[in-house]
Amino acid sequence: MTADLTRTRPPFPYESLPALPVFTLASADLVDGERMPDHFTAVHENISPELHWSGFPAATRSFVVSCFDPDAPSPAGWWHWTVQDLDVSVTSLAQGVGESDLRLDGAAFHAINDSGTHAWSGPYPPAGDGDHRYIFAVHALDVDTLGLDDDASATVVAAQCSFHAIARALLTVTYSQPGEPGAAPFLQDPQ
């Protein structure tokens, strides 16, 4: 039996949250609105991209960085990456730091993603499923730490951000794989 993944794509997820002041998120590796280069995906080398941000409020005390795919064939999308408790002095993540907590500065650490790892889990959308959006977000928070441990899921971190975010920066890229929709089961991370 061939799976039929035909579905309506969900709205942009941050539009349903309370509006926040915006600041700038950019990347030496990604271009907003463009396709993600292959080597950042789990289909290929699975390397986390470089990110840097600026223009956040002076009251910022820490940051959370995340990557979310709202187009995954699930009711809840797919969390690819979440780094929490980044000190306010950290305004960039170098390419490849998503490999492990050992590559992060200070007290920052990875939340568990939907692939079940505490690391970057690059895109791996189903073949033939069209473009998936990968939304990178940096939330500026009014606390030094969210007070969560490493058992907290990316969804829990995102919910806690809702109570402490004072500004948000976004960058969205896309990725897809050619092929017949539903022709093969997921080989790895399904998103």
Side-chain angles (χ1 to χ4, degrees):
M1 181 173 145
T2 301
D4 181 0
L5 298 178
T6 305
R7 63 200 182 282
T8 302
R9 297 298 169 140
F12 192 76
Y14 292 99
E15 289 176 354
S16 64
L17 296 176
L20 289 172
V22 299
F23 59 102
T24 302
L25 173 58
S27 175
D29 298 325
L30 308 173
V31 177
D32 191 48
E34 301 282 325
R35 180 180 168 84
M36 180 182 284
D38 288 341
H39 60 279
F40 298 112
T41 71
V43 180
H44 296 279
E45 289 91 59
N46 199 38
I47 300 167
S48 62
E50 185 276 343
L51 300 172
H52 55 275
W53 52 94
S54 61
F56 47 88
T60 302
R61 293 174 57 188
S62 67
F63 299 104
V64 167
V65 175
S66 62
C67 178
F68 179 69
D69 171 8
D71 301 314
S74 81
W78 193 271
W79 289 100
H80 287 271
W81 195 27
T82 302
V83 178
Q84 59 188 308
D85 291 356
L86 279 162
D87 188 81
V88 68
S89 66
V90 178
T91 58
S92 66
L93 292 175
Q95 185 182 107
V97 299
E99 182 179 314
S100 79
D101 288 348
L102 299 175
R103 309 264 331 254
L104 298 171
D105 290 332
F109 63 102
H110 289 93
I112 192 165
N113 59 40
D114 285 340
S115 298
T117 64
H118 290 87
W120 164 255
S121 176
Y124 203 117
D129 196 39
D131 282 343
H132 283 219
R133 295 166 291 172
Y134 298 90
I135 305 165
F136 289 84
V138 178
H139 284 89
L141 306 181
D142 63 1
V143 291
D144 296 327
T145 177
L146 287 175
L148 300 172
D149 62 29
D150 63 358
D151 289 331
S153 69
T155 300
V156 168
V157 175
Q160 289 302 311
C161 279
S162 296
F163 296 103
H164 295 287
I166 57 174
R168 179 186 302 126
L170 301 171
L171 184 152
T172 303
V173 294
T174 63
Y175 193 74
S176 60
Q177 291 195 85
E180 292 297 317
F186 299 131
L187 300 175
Q188 251 191 3
D189 302 334
Q191 312 327 307

